[in-house]
Amino acid sequence: VTLRNTSIKLDGNAFTGAADVDLSGDKPVMSVQLNAGALNLKGLSANSDEQGAGGSDGGSSNGWPKDPINASGLAAVNGEFALVADSIDLGDFKLAKTRTLASLEDSRLVFALREVRAYDGLITGEFVLNNRSGLSIGGKMNAENLNMETFLTDAIDVSRFSGSAQGNISFLGVGNSLHAIMNSLSGKGGFSTGRGVINGFDLDRLMRRGDGSGGTTVFDNMKATFTMDKGNLFNSDLSMVLPQASAAGEGRIGLGAQDIDYLFTPRL
Protein backbone atom coordinates (compact mmCIF):
# COMPACT_ATOMS: atom_id res chain seq x y z
CA VAL A 1 0.00 0.00 0.00
CA THR A 2 1.45 3.35 -1.04
CA LEU A 3 0.22 6.78 0.04
CA ARG A 4 1.55 10.02 -1.45
CA ASN A 5 0.69 13.69 -0.91
CA THR A 6 -1.18 12.64 2.20
CA SER A 7 -2.98 15.05 4.53
CA ILE A 8 -3.99 13.83 7.99
CA LYS A 9 -5.85 15.58 10.80
CA LEU A 10 -5.74 14.02 14.26
CA ASP A 11 -6.95 15.61 17.52
CA GLY A 12 -6.60 19.08 16.06
CA ASN A 13 -3.13 18.43 14.63
CA ALA A 14 -2.42 18.50 10.89
CA PHE A 15 0.20 16.35 9.14
CA THR A 16 1.35 15.97 5.56
CA GLY A 17 3.59 13.26 4.20
CA ALA A 18 3.86 9.83 2.63
CA ALA A 19 3.72 6.18 3.66
CA ASP A 20 4.50 2.72 2.31
CA VAL A 21 3.12 -0.46 3.89
CA ASP A 22 4.37 -3.92 2.88
CA LEU A 23 1.90 -6.64 3.87
CA SER A 24 3.70 -9.61 2.30
CA GLY A 25 5.57 -10.81 5.42
CA ASP A 26 4.64 -12.17 8.83
CA LYS A 27 3.88 -8.64 10.04
CA PRO A 28 3.41 -5.30 8.26
CA VAL A 29 6.54 -3.29 7.44
CA MET A 30 5.92 0.45 7.34
CA SER A 31 7.87 3.45 6.10
CA VAL A 32 6.24 6.72 7.11
CA GLN A 33 7.35 10.33 6.68
CA LEU A 34 5.31 13.07 8.34
CA ASN A 35 5.67 16.85 8.42
CA ALA A 36 3.78 19.12 10.77
CA GLY A 37 3.61 22.70 11.91
CA ALA A 38 2.75 23.28 15.57
CA LEU A 39 1.77 20.04 17.32
CA ASN A 40 -0.33 20.04 20.48
CA LEU A 41 0.36 16.79 22.36
CA LYS A 42 -0.63 17.96 25.85
CA GLY A 43 -2.79 14.89 26.26
CA LEU A 44 0.36 12.75 26.64
CA SER A 45 1.01 14.37 30.04
CA ALA A 46 -2.59 14.78 31.18
CA ASN A 47 -2.12 12.41 34.13
CA SER A 48 1.36 13.53 35.14
CA ASP A 49 0.11 15.18 38.33
CA GLU A 50 -1.37 11.87 39.46
CA GLN A 51 1.80 9.82 39.02
CA GLY A 52 3.49 10.53 42.31
CA ALA A 53 5.71 13.55 41.97
CA GLY A 54 8.04 13.86 44.97
CA GLY A 55 7.24 16.50 47.53
CA SER A 56 9.56 19.00 49.17
CA ASP A 57 9.42 17.10 52.47
CA GLY A 58 11.85 14.52 51.11
CA GLY A 59 9.45 11.91 49.71
CA SER A 60 6.06 11.10 48.23
CA SER A 61 3.35 9.20 50.03
CA ASN A 62 2.17 7.58 46.82
CA GLY A 63 5.39 6.86 44.96
CA TRP A 64 5.61 5.88 41.31
CA PRO A 65 2.67 3.99 39.76
CA LYS A 66 2.89 0.21 39.96
CA ASP A 67 0.32 -0.43 37.23
CA PRO A 68 1.70 -2.86 34.62
CA ILE A 69 2.81 -1.26 31.36
CA ASN A 70 1.47 -3.05 28.30
CA ALA A 71 4.11 -2.73 25.57
CA SER A 72 2.85 -5.64 23.45
CA GLY A 73 1.93 -3.20 20.68
CA LEU A 74 5.62 -2.89 19.80
CA ALA A 75 5.41 -6.37 18.26
CA ALA A 76 2.61 -5.46 15.83
CA VAL A 77 4.71 -3.94 13.04
CA ASN A 78 8.24 -3.18 11.89
CA GLY A 79 9.35 -0.04 10.13
CA GLU A 80 10.66 3.51 10.23
CA PHE A 81 8.69 6.63 11.15
CA ALA A 82 10.18 10.06 10.44
CA LEU A 83 8.70 13.25 11.88
CA VAL A 84 9.61 16.87 11.27
CA ALA A 85 7.65 19.49 13.24
CA ASP A 86 7.97 23.23 13.67
CA SER A 87 7.09 22.89 17.39
CA ILE A 88 5.69 20.34 19.84
CA ASP A 89 3.77 21.22 23.00
CA LEU A 90 3.95 18.27 25.42
CA GLY A 91 2.25 20.11 28.25
CA ASP A 92 5.12 19.82 30.72
CA PHE A 93 7.76 20.47 28.06
CA LYS A 94 7.72 22.67 24.98
CA LEU A 95 9.93 21.93 21.99
CA ALA A 96 10.71 24.09 18.97
CA LYS A 97 12.04 22.68 15.66
CA THR A 98 12.14 18.87 15.97
CA ARG A 99 13.49 16.18 13.63
CA THR A 100 13.22 12.56 14.78
CA LEU A 101 13.43 9.10 13.22
CA ALA A 102 11.81 6.16 15.02
CA SER A 103 12.95 2.68 14.00
CA LEU A 104 10.89 -0.32 15.15
CA GLU A 105 12.17 -3.88 14.72
CA ASP A 106 11.07 -6.97 16.63
CA SER A 107 9.62 -5.08 19.62
CA ARG A 108 12.56 -2.66 19.91
CA LEU A 109 11.76 1.01 19.22
CA VAL A 110 14.62 3.52 18.85
CA PHE A 111 13.88 7.26 18.69
CA ALA A 112 16.84 9.02 17.06
CA LEU A 113 16.73 12.65 18.17
CA ARG A 114 18.45 14.19 15.17
CA GLU A 115 17.52 17.76 16.10
CA VAL A 116 15.41 18.95 19.00
CA ARG A 117 15.46 22.71 19.54
CA ALA A 118 14.23 23.50 23.03
CA TYR A 119 14.77 26.17 25.70
CA ASP A 120 17.11 28.17 23.44
CA GLY A 121 19.38 25.13 23.06
CA LEU A 122 19.87 21.90 21.11
CA ILE A 123 19.18 18.32 22.28
CA THR A 124 20.45 15.28 20.37
CA GLY A 125 20.74 11.56 21.11
CA GLU A 126 18.45 8.55 21.22
CA PHE A 127 15.68 7.06 23.35
CA VAL A 128 15.02 3.30 23.33
CA LEU A 129 11.98 1.17 24.29
CA ASN A 130 12.86 -2.54 24.22
CA ASN A 131 10.25 -5.23 24.90
CA ARG A 132 12.04 -8.25 23.42
CA SER A 133 12.62 -10.01 26.76
CA GLY A 134 10.84 -7.80 29.27
CA LEU A 135 10.45 -4.04 29.09
CA SER A 136 13.46 -1.74 29.36
CA ILE A 137 13.84 1.98 28.74
CA GLY A 138 17.18 3.65 28.04
CA GLY A 139 18.96 6.30 26.09
CA LYS A 140 21.83 8.70 25.57
CA MET A 141 21.27 12.44 25.26
CA ASN A 142 23.38 15.57 24.91
CA ALA A 143 22.18 19.11 25.52
CA GLU A 144 23.85 22.38 24.53
CA ASN A 145 23.10 25.93 25.66
CA LEU A 146 19.89 25.18 27.56
CA ASN A 147 18.17 28.12 29.22
CA MET A 148 18.17 26.92 32.85
CA GLU A 149 15.37 29.20 34.03
CA THR A 150 12.75 28.07 31.50
CA PHE A 151 13.89 24.43 31.45
CA LEU A 152 13.94 23.95 35.24
CA THR A 153 10.61 25.75 35.57
CA ASP A 154 8.96 23.29 33.19
CA ALA A 155 10.89 20.23 34.45
CA ILE A 156 10.71 20.57 38.24
CA ASP A 157 8.92 23.88 38.88
CA VAL A 158 12.14 25.62 40.02
CA SER A 159 12.54 29.16 38.71
CA ARG A 160 15.41 30.48 40.86
CA PHE A 161 18.24 29.61 38.43
CA SER A 162 19.09 31.52 35.28
CA GLY A 163 21.97 31.00 32.88
CA SER A 164 23.03 28.64 30.11
CA ALA A 165 23.95 24.99 30.65
CA GLN A 166 25.21 21.99 28.73
CA GLY A 167 25.12 18.37 29.79
CA ASN A 168 24.87 14.71 28.90
CA ILE A 169 23.20 11.61 30.31
CA SER A 170 23.05 7.88 29.58
CA PHE A 171 20.51 5.74 31.44
CA LEU A 172 18.77 2.37 31.57
CA GLY A 173 15.71 1.23 33.51
CA VAL A 174 14.14 -2.23 33.54
CA GLY A 175 10.69 -3.40 34.68
CA ASN A 176 7.05 -3.75 33.73
CA SER A 177 5.88 -0.69 35.70
CA LEU A 178 7.04 2.89 36.15
CA HIS A 179 7.83 2.05 39.79
CA ALA A 180 10.12 -0.81 38.78
CA ILE A 181 11.83 1.22 36.07
CA MET A 182 12.54 4.24 38.31
CA ASN A 183 13.88 1.99 41.09
CA SER A 184 16.24 0.20 38.70
CA LEU A 185 17.73 3.21 36.92
CA SER A 186 21.45 3.04 36.20
CA GLY A 187 23.74 5.28 34.16
CA LYS A 188 25.88 8.40 34.36
CA GLY A 189 26.06 12.00 33.23
CA GLY A 190 27.16 15.52 34.02
CA PHE A 191 26.49 19.19 33.42
CA SER A 192 28.27 22.54 33.46
CA THR A 193 27.26 26.17 33.21
CA GLY A 194 28.85 29.51 32.61
CA ARG A 195 27.94 32.66 34.49
CA GLY A 196 24.51 32.52 36.10
CA VAL A 197 22.22 33.86 38.81
CA ILE A 198 20.26 32.29 41.70
CA ASN A 199 17.31 34.44 42.72
CA GLY A 200 15.87 34.55 46.23
CA PHE A 201 18.97 34.83 48.42
CA ASP A 202 22.43 36.41 48.48
CA LEU A 203 24.86 33.63 49.44
CA ASP A 204 27.74 36.03 50.10
CA ARG A 205 25.61 38.25 52.38
CA LEU A 206 24.21 35.18 54.13
CA MET A 207 27.69 33.88 55.01
CA ARG A 208 29.21 37.26 55.95
CA ARG A 209 26.32 38.80 57.88
CA GLY A 210 23.90 35.97 58.56
CA ASP A 211 21.29 37.85 56.54
CA GLY A 212 19.22 35.47 54.42
CA SER A 213 16.45 37.88 53.46
CA GLY A 214 16.18 37.95 49.68
CA GLY A 215 18.70 39.16 47.14
CA THR A 216 20.50 37.33 44.32
CA THR A 217 23.60 35.16 44.08
CA VAL A 218 25.77 35.60 41.01
CA PHE A 219 28.09 32.67 40.24
CA ASP A 220 30.86 32.42 37.65
CA ASN A 221 30.37 28.74 36.84
CA MET A 222 28.89 25.51 38.17
CA LYS A 223 29.59 21.88 37.24
CA ALA A 224 28.96 18.35 38.44
CA THR A 225 29.05 14.72 37.35
CA PHE A 226 26.86 11.90 38.62
CA THR A 227 26.24 8.17 38.47
CA MET A 228 22.98 6.26 38.87
CA ASP A 229 22.53 2.82 40.41
CA LYS A 230 19.37 0.98 41.53
CA GLY A 231 17.27 4.13 41.21
CA ASN A 232 19.67 6.39 43.12
CA LEU A 233 21.63 9.30 41.71
CA PHE A 234 25.01 9.88 43.38
CA ASN A 235 27.07 13.06 43.10
CA SER A 236 30.29 13.92 44.93
CA ASP A 237 31.83 16.79 42.97
CA LEU A 238 29.32 19.63 42.63
CA SER A 239 31.34 22.83 42.37
CA MET A 240 30.08 26.40 42.24
CA VAL A 241 32.50 29.33 41.91
CA LEU A 242 31.36 32.78 43.06
CA PRO A 243 33.27 36.09 42.87
CA GLN A 244 34.24 35.98 46.58
CA ALA A 245 33.29 32.45 47.61
CA SER A 246 32.84 28.89 46.46
CA ALA A 247 30.47 26.05 47.23
CA ALA A 248 30.56 22.28 46.99
CA GLY A 249 27.90 19.59 47.08
CA GLU A 250 27.68 15.84 47.52
CA GLY A 251 25.02 13.29 48.29
CA ARG A 252 22.27 11.04 46.99
CA ILE A 253 18.99 11.76 45.22
CA GLY A 254 16.49 8.91 45.30
CA LEU A 255 14.90 8.91 41.84
CA GLY A 256 13.00 5.75 42.70
CA ALA A 257 12.27 6.38 46.37
CA GLN A 258 11.60 10.09 45.72
CA ASP A 259 13.78 11.26 48.60
CA ILE A 260 17.00 13.24 48.95
CA ASP A 261 20.08 13.23 51.21
CA TYR A 262 22.34 16.01 49.97
CA LEU A 263 24.82 18.38 51.62
CA PHE A 264 25.57 21.81 50.09
CA THR A 265 28.54 23.60 51.69
CA PRO A 266 29.42 27.24 50.91
CA ARG A 267 32.91 28.52 51.74
CA LEU A 268 34.27 32.06 51.97
Side-chain angles (χ1 to χ4, degrees):
V1 179
T2 298
L3 300 175
R4 294 291 182 268
N5 301 318
T6 303
S7 178
I8 302 171
K9 290 186 177 181
L10 180 64
D11 291 337
N13 295 304
F15 302 86
T16 60
D20 295 295
V21 184
D22 184 352
L23 302 173
S24 62
D26 294 335
K27 65 177 67 175
V29 178
M30 305 179 68
S31 177
V32 180
Q33 297 180 343
L34 294 176
N35 297 278
L39 292 182
N40 185 341
L41 303 180
K42 292 181 181 180
L44 296 178
S45 60
N47 297 321
S48 60
D49 291 337
E50 301 175 4
Q51 295 185 355
S56 60
D57 59 350
S60 169
S61 59
N62 297 322
W64 298 104
K66 297 182 180 180
D67 302 334
I69 298 174
N70 185 359
S72 60
L74 294 176
V77 300
N78 290 331
E80 291 188 340
F81 310 84
L83 171 66
V84 177
D86 293 337
S87 65
I88 302 178
D89 187 346
L90 295 170
D92 294 329
F93 296 97
K94 296 172 179 60
L95 311 179
K97 180 74 173 184
T98 300
R99 294 190 304 118
T100 67
L101 175 65
S103 302
L104 177 58
E105 182 178 3
D106 297 333
S107 298
R108 185 175 185 267
L109 179 62
V110 180
F111 289 93
L113 306 179
R114 294 180 168 179
E115 178 187 13
V116 178
R117 299 285 175 180
Y119 304 101
D120 304 326
L122 173 65
I123 301 172
T124 58
E126 67 176 21
F127 184 79
V128 181
L129 294 173
N130 190 343
N131 196 42
R132 289 177 177 174
S133 56
L135 181 62
S136 65
I137 298 177
K140 297 180 181 179
M141 299 181 189
N142 294 284
E144 301 175 7
N145 302 319
L146 286 187
N147 183 315
M148 288 195 299
E149 183 175 11
T150 55
F151 173 70
L152 292 177
T153 298
D154 283 356
I156 56 176
D157 198 25
V158 171
S159 58
R160 291 179 178 268
F161 288 84
S162 61
S164 179
Q166 42 278 330
N168 63 86
I169 184 173
S170 61
F171 64 94
L172 176 65
V174 180
N176 66 346
S177 69
L178 189 55
H179 178 271
I181 291 171
M182 294 303 296
N183 281 277
S184 68
L185 279 176
S186 61
K188 62 181 180 180
F191 75 91
S192 63
T193 76
R195 188 176 179 87
V197 175
I198 306 175
N199 295 308
F201 70 96
D202 185 334
L203 186 58
D204 182 69
R205 189 173 67 192
L206 176 64
M207 289 190 293
R208 293 178 182 276
R209 307 176 190 172
D211 181 2
S213 57
T216 59
T217 297
V218 178
F219 59 89
D220 294 326
N221 62 74
M222 180 169 54
K223 59 183 179 180
T225 61
F226 59 85
T227 60
M228 293 183 289
D229 183 49
K230 296 179 181 178
N232 293 294
L233 184 150
F234 300 95
N235 161 256
S236 61
D237 62 355
L238 176 68
S239 172
M240 179 186 292
V241 177
L242 296 88
Q244 300 184 48
S246 65
E250 60 179 341
R252 178 192 65 85
I253 299 175
L255 303 175
Q258 299 184 358
D259 61 358
I260 184 170
D261 179 11
Y262 199 89
L263 177 65
F264 182 77
T265 307
R267 299 183 179 93
L268 283 174

